[in-house]
Amino acid sequence: MTTRRENVRVKEHAVLYQAAAYCLGYPDGEFYERLPLLRQAAPELREFLEHADTEPPQDLTAHYVQVFDFKNRHSLYLSWWRDGDTRRRGMSLVRFKEVYREHGLEFTGEELPDFLPAVLEFSAHAGPGLLQEHRSGLELLRIALTDFGTPYATILDAVCATLPGPSPKDRAEALALARSGPPREEVGLEPFGAIGVEPSGALGHEPLAVIGERS
């Protein structure tokens, strides 16, 4: 039997996941329109949101591109951290779609189904199961972003803090894997397309209603 405190925590985590999904998407005009609501609803993301609020929009956009579009070691695609650009990754992507279907959702976004903002949006409605399944990738991304010195690292800090158990104990090993990257094959998936499309389609069940629960 869940307690009232546990129910509150689950709701707070759902709001955080939805807010983090917006923050890790491309910082377009819609992001800036939502910024006041995000600041009110997700205090865990205060550091990043204050940065976004004071940074000139063109500078934040350029920084996003610098961090995520040209750095595979900052990949927002969770299966990349486990499978790299290998044939195995195809089955991992199928797994994401199967999990969405199990919850009555079809992934119709323009991005791949393992795109972290889409996974976070899904987790806001279905719980953190997929995030827990890919905890190692989240932690490696968190470490890589922290080492890069980007405010986006604080978003991963907040998301990882919601998952059970501590962060990986062997930090040196995690850092080494983050630096070297996962295995690659000559025959694999084509390089990723441009990042920056917000999760959409069947995963978008009035997400602002979720955020509004804490406002």
Side-chain angles (χ1 to χ4, degrees):
M1 182 175 180
T2 59
T3 66
R4 181 177 180 276
R5 184 174 181 179
E6 289 171 339
N7 288 332
V8 170
R9 183 170 64 249
V10 168
K11 184 177 293 187
E12 289 177 346
H13 288 175
V15 173
L16 170 62
Y17 295 153
Q18 185 67 72
Y22 288 137
C23 292
L24 287 171
Y26 187 80
D28 56 12
E30 290 186 9
F31 167 75
Y32 281 97
E33 290 175 3
R34 295 185 176 114
L35 193 53
L37 180 56
L38 292 172
R39 293 187 65 176
Q40 180 182 1
E44 304 94 333
L45 304 180
R46 180 180 59 186
E47 183 175 346
F48 171 77
L49 292 170
E50 288 182 351
H51 172 79
D53 198 26
T54 57
E55 189 81 352
Q58 65 272 19
D59 291 349
L60 184 63
T61 298
H63 181 68
Y64 185 95
V65 172
Q66 178 191 24
V67 173
F68 295 117
D69 281 9
F70 302 118
K71 297 283 186 180
N72 246 9
R73 292 187 178 88
H74 302 159
S75 178
L76 288 172
Y77 298 92
L78 290 179
S79 67
W80 183 85
W81 293 96
R82 178 179 295 176
D83 302 315
D85 295 337
T86 70
R87 286 184 291 265
R88 293 190 305 274
R89 188 159 178 255
M91 292 305 299
S92 295
L93 295 175
V94 170
R95 162 69 178 159
F96 277 91
K97 290 185 177 181
E98 288 176 345
V99 172
Y100 296 150
R101 292 192 186 107
E102 288 170 4
H103 288 80
L105 299 171
E106 283 291 333
F107 185 81
T108 58
E110 297 180 34
E111 284 290 349
L112 296 173
D114 63 338
F115 186 50
L116 180 52
V119 177
L120 285 165
E121 183 180 345
F122 170 77
S123 300
H125 299 282
L130 269 180
L131 296 174
Q132 293 175 13
E133 186 175 331
H134 290 270
R135 175 72 179 270
S136 60
L138 285 170
E139 295 286 359
L140 289 168
L141 175 59
R142 178 184 63 80
I143 292 169
L145 293 177
T146 299
D147 288 349
F148 191 70
T150 172
Y152 281 101
T154 63
I155 303 173
L156 272 294
D157 289 339
V159 170
C160 289
T162 69
L163 303 179
S167 292
K169 294 180 179 179
D170 191 347
R171 182 176 175 84
E173 181 178 341
L175 286 170
L177 181 57
R179 285 194 296 268
S180 61
R184 302 179 64 88
E185 290 182 356
E186 290 299 323
V187 181
L189 298 179
E190 293 296 321
F192 305 132
I195 298 171
V197 180
E198 186 174 298
S200 60
L203 290 180
H205 291 283
E206 299 183 359
L208 285 178
V210 177
I211 290 182
E213 290 179 2
R214 192 189 288 182
S215 62

